[in-house]
Amino acid sequence: MTDNDLPPRLGSLTFHGPLSEARATRMIERLAAASPATVLDIGCGWGELLMRVLEAAPGSTGVGIDINAEDLARGRDLAKERGLADRVEFVEESALGTTRGPVDAILCLGSSQALCDPDQPHDPAAALRELRRLVRPGGRVILGEGFWQRTPTDEELAGMWPGAHAGEHFLLGPLVDLAIEAGFRPAWIETADADEWEEFESGYRNDTELWLAAHPDHPLAAETREKADRQRSTWLNGYRRVLGIAYLTLVPVG
């Protein structure tokens, strides 16, 4: 069985999250305006946003950390294609307790759990304190964090991932308050819109759905189909228009 026979993974996504080209461009412009020399991407995946920051901030260098070797290899290949291999490093390691700070700019999009104790419930307050520790005075943090757009109903929670509960996320106001309590000022607050979510959710499964249509009798088809159907159901029958993603541009106080 060759790699071409296997179900594809995330090939239709530019960013691993509900983030449009237009929003990404605006966030990068605001970050690059602060002229960061060092950039850290926590849970970087294949590092698309990190590389765009480096392209927008000449002379800057970056480090992306993640525990997914496949994504990191994709990032290294992209860096070579874009002439950034000498300015960015992709490292397979945990972010928990990382010593890779302080830096001028931090990206942490959908990855704050990497800064928290894995044996404890996800704690955005703890993640924000870690981000404050890792960023230099005058630096910038872009945090992409989940929040409830409204309190989910029991029926919606039952349709989400196993063990989903209302205390798993904050509403947007309390989330921003946590950032302030951690020692930041929220320089910019924005949230992913419905189009960004639908682009992401469809793109997340697009290659897999096309593969399943073309390979219905493949030895991996049943397992792949069950996983794709389960993922789609948690979105359509659970968190669609309930779970949001906030993109917070944070500036440390002092």
Short mmCIF file of all heavy atoms in Angstrom, two decimals, residues 121 148 154 156-169 234:
data_model
loop_
_atom_site.label_atom_id
_atom_site.label_comp_id
_atom_site.label_asym_id
_atom_site.label_seq_id
_atom_site.Cartn_x
_atom_site.Cartn_y
_atom_site.Cartn_z
N PRO A 121 -8.08 19.67 33.91
CA PRO A 121 -8.95 20.29 32.89
C PRO A 121 -8.24 21.49 32.25
O PRO A 121 -7.41 22.15 32.87
CB PRO A 121 -10.17 20.74 33.71
CG PRO A 121 -10.17 19.86 34.92
CD PRO A 121 -8.74 19.60 35.23
N TRP A 148 -17.65 30.09 24.25
CA TRP A 148 -19.06 29.86 23.92
C TRP A 148 -19.67 31.16 23.41
O TRP A 148 -19.60 32.19 24.08
CB TRP A 148 -19.85 29.41 25.15
CG TRP A 148 -19.52 28.07 25.72
CD1 TRP A 148 -19.32 27.78 27.04
CD2 TRP A 148 -19.42 26.82 25.04
NE1 TRP A 148 -19.08 26.45 27.22
CE2 TRP A 148 -19.13 25.82 26.00
CE3 TRP A 148 -19.53 26.43 23.69
CZ2 TRP A 148 -18.95 24.47 25.67
CZ3 TRP A 148 -19.34 25.09 23.37
CH2 TRP A 148 -19.07 24.13 24.34
N ASP A 154 -28.30 21.39 26.76
CA ASP A 154 -27.93 20.00 27.04
C ASP A 154 -27.94 19.17 25.75
O ASP A 154 -27.08 18.31 25.56
CB ASP A 154 -28.90 19.39 28.05
CG ASP A 154 -28.72 19.97 29.45
OD1 ASP A 154 -27.67 20.58 29.71
OD2 ASP A 154 -29.65 19.82 30.27
N GLU A 156 -27.35 20.25 22.69
CA GLU A 156 -26.16 20.60 21.91
C GLU A 156 -24.91 19.97 22.49
O GLU A 156 -24.06 19.44 21.76
CB GLU A 156 -26.02 22.12 21.84
CG GLU A 156 -27.07 22.77 20.94
CD GLU A 156 -27.20 24.26 21.14
OE1 GLU A 156 -26.77 24.77 22.20
OE2 GLU A 156 -27.74 24.93 20.25
N LEU A 157 -24.78 19.99 23.81
CA LEU A 157 -23.63 19.38 24.45
C LEU A 157 -23.58 17.89 24.16
O LEU A 157 -22.50 17.32 23.93
CB LEU A 157 -23.67 19.62 25.96
CG LEU A 157 -23.35 21.05 26.41
CD1 LEU A 157 -23.72 21.24 27.87
CD2 LEU A 157 -21.89 21.38 26.18
N ALA A 158 -24.73 17.24 24.16
CA ALA A 158 -24.78 15.80 23.88
C ALA A 158 -24.33 15.48 22.46
O ALA A 158 -23.85 14.38 22.19
CB ALA A 158 -26.20 15.27 24.11
N GLY A 159 -24.46 16.46 21.56
CA GLY A 159 -24.05 16.24 20.18
C GLY A 159 -22.60 16.55 19.91
O GLY A 159 -22.10 16.32 18.80
N MET A 160 -21.89 17.09 20.90
CA MET A 160 -20.49 17.47 20.73
C MET A 160 -19.57 16.28 21.03
O MET A 160 -19.97 15.13 20.98
CB MET A 160 -20.16 18.67 21.62
CG MET A 160 -20.96 19.93 21.27
SD MET A 160 -20.46 21.34 22.31
CE MET A 160 -21.83 22.47 22.01
N TRP A 161 -18.33 16.57 21.32
CA TRP A 161 -17.33 15.55 21.63
C TRP A 161 -17.67 14.88 22.97
O TRP A 161 -18.38 15.45 23.80
CB TRP A 161 -15.96 16.21 21.69
CG TRP A 161 -15.94 17.45 22.54
CD1 TRP A 161 -15.71 17.55 23.88
CD2 TRP A 161 -16.22 18.78 22.09
NE1 TRP A 161 -15.82 18.84 24.31
CE2 TRP A 161 -16.12 19.63 23.24
CE3 TRP A 161 -16.53 19.36 20.85
CZ2 TRP A 161 -16.33 21.01 23.17
CZ3 TRP A 161 -16.73 20.73 20.80
CH2 TRP A 161 -16.63 21.54 21.93
N PRO A 162 -17.16 13.68 23.21
CA PRO A 162 -17.44 12.99 24.47
C PRO A 162 -17.03 13.83 25.68
O PRO A 162 -15.94 14.39 25.73
CB PRO A 162 -16.60 11.72 24.38
CG PRO A 162 -16.42 11.49 22.91
CD PRO A 162 -16.34 12.86 22.29
N GLY A 163 -17.93 13.92 26.65
CA GLY A 163 -17.63 14.64 27.87
C GLY A 163 -17.78 16.14 27.79
O GLY A 163 -17.43 16.85 28.74
N ALA A 164 -18.30 16.66 26.68
CA ALA A 164 -18.48 18.11 26.55
C ALA A 164 -19.39 18.63 27.66
O ALA A 164 -20.40 18.01 28.00
CB ALA A 164 -19.08 18.45 25.19
N HIS A 165 -19.02 19.78 28.24
CA HIS A 165 -19.83 20.36 29.31
C HIS A 165 -19.75 21.88 29.24
O HIS A 165 -18.81 22.45 28.65
CB HIS A 165 -19.38 19.86 30.68
CG HIS A 165 -17.94 20.15 30.98
ND1 HIS A 165 -17.53 21.29 31.65
CD2 HIS A 165 -16.81 19.44 30.72
CE1 HIS A 165 -16.22 21.27 31.78
NE2 HIS A 165 -15.75 20.17 31.22
N ALA A 166 -20.71 22.54 29.84
CA ALA A 166 -20.84 23.99 29.71
C ALA A 166 -19.66 24.73 30.32
O ALA A 166 -19.33 25.84 29.90
CB ALA A 166 -22.14 24.46 30.34
N GLY A 167 -19.00 24.12 31.32
CA GLY A 167 -17.87 24.78 31.96
C GLY A 167 -16.57 24.64 31.20
O GLY A 167 -15.52 25.11 31.66
N GLU A 168 -16.63 24.02 30.04
CA GLU A 168 -15.40 23.75 29.27
C GLU A 168 -14.83 25.01 28.63
O GLU A 168 -13.63 25.10 28.38
CB GLU A 168 -15.72 22.72 28.19
CG GLU A 168 -14.53 22.04 27.60
CD GLU A 168 -14.92 20.75 26.87
OE1 GLU A 168 -16.06 20.28 27.05
OE2 GLU A 168 -14.08 20.24 26.12
N HIS A 169 -15.68 25.99 28.35
CA HIS A 169 -15.24 27.26 27.77
C HIS A 169 -15.90 28.41 28.50
O HIS A 169 -16.92 28.24 29.18
CB HIS A 169 -15.59 27.33 26.27
CG HIS A 169 -14.89 26.32 25.43
ND1 HIS A 169 -13.55 26.41 25.12
CD2 HIS A 169 -15.35 25.19 24.83
CE1 HIS A 169 -13.21 25.38 24.37
NE2 HIS A 169 -14.27 24.63 24.18
N THR A 234 -20.48 16.07 15.14
CA THR A 234 -20.24 16.91 16.31
C THR A 234 -20.35 18.38 15.96
O THR A 234 -20.73 19.20 16.80
CB THR A 234 -18.85 16.64 16.92
OG1 THR A 234 -17.83 16.97 15.98
CG2 THR A 234 -18.70 15.19 17.35
#
